[in-house]
Amino acid sequence: MLKNKYPIDPALIRELAQVLTDTDLTEIEVAHDDLKIRVARQITVHTTVAAPVAAHAPAAAPVAAAAAAAPVVVDDPRKHPGVVTSPMVGTAYRRPSPDAKPLVELGTVVKEGDRLCLIEAMKTFNDIAAPRSGTVTRIFFEDGRPVEYGEPLMIVE
């Protein structure tokens, strides 16, 4: 039985969980012989969507509409309503091949479903598509850099 052959140390699990907290990693795995211990956490990204302004609103509505059209400034990109996050751990690429031009640049206008970047995980390239139509206003990763699950990749406003 696993219980007799591999005693699981709760202190080790707590220590691994602390490493996740200290380093902002989302998962860690330790292996010894046939025993593997994987500790993971989920990062939840909350988004807020502004309510549309009614057409018959009072005279203050044009000011509210202009404010709603202005870019949203958020200190933490994970809290931005237009954030595109990595759905997996892997290596992020802005280009489909080393000699190709980037899929998107700052200011690129995209439609929902357009390819924004690629994430390579386990020798498989995964397309990351735009979840909404808009303009790419920020890009947070360098081409060929590792990314974590839930890490902000870019902002589409």
Side-chain angles (χ1 to χ4, degrees):
M1 288 186 90
L2 182 67
K3 190 173 189 181
N4 296 334
K5 187 174 180 184
Y6 300 107
I8 295 179
D9 182 7
L12 173 63
I13 303 218
R14 278 192 287 281
E15 187 176 329
L16 292 173
Q18 188 62 45
V19 168
L20 290 180
T21 302
D22 293 345
T23 61
D24 287 332
L25 292 173
T26 56
E27 64 183 70
I28 190 168
E29 186 173 308
V30 176
H32 180 68
D33 295 329
D34 291 334
L35 176 67
K36 281 187 183 180
I37 298 175
R38 180 176 171 267
V39 179
R41 67 179 172 149
Q42 242 180 354
I43 296 177
T44 305
V45 178
H46 298 280
T47 60
T48 306
V49 178
V53 178
H56 56 34
V63 173
V72 178
V73 178
V74 179
D75 289 338
D76 183 2
R78 294 171 203 228
K79 295 179 182 176
H80 193 286
V83 69
V84 177
T85 59
S86 176
M88 66 189 71
V89 174
T91 303
Y93 295 97
R94 295 184 55 205
R95 311 165 188 271
S97 67
D99 57 337
K101 67 178 189 156
L103 294 166
V104 295
E105 297 278 0
L106 289 178
T108 301
V109 176
V110 296
K111 293 182 285 195
E112 183 177 342
D114 283 355
R115 191 159 78 160
L116 299 174
C117 63
L118 300 161
I119 296 183
E120 184 264 327
M122 299 179 69
K123 302 196 188 293
T124 301
F125 286 87
N126 303 279
D127 287 341
I128 306 304
R132 60 167 31 176
S133 296
T135 304
V136 176
T137 58
R138 292 184 69 189
I139 299 174
F140 298 107
F141 70 96
E142 295 294 323
D143 196 38
R145 184 181 72 80
V147 293
E148 292 286 328
Y149 171 81
E151 181 177 334
L153 298 173
M154 57 187 68
I155 302 284
V156 176
E157 294 187 290

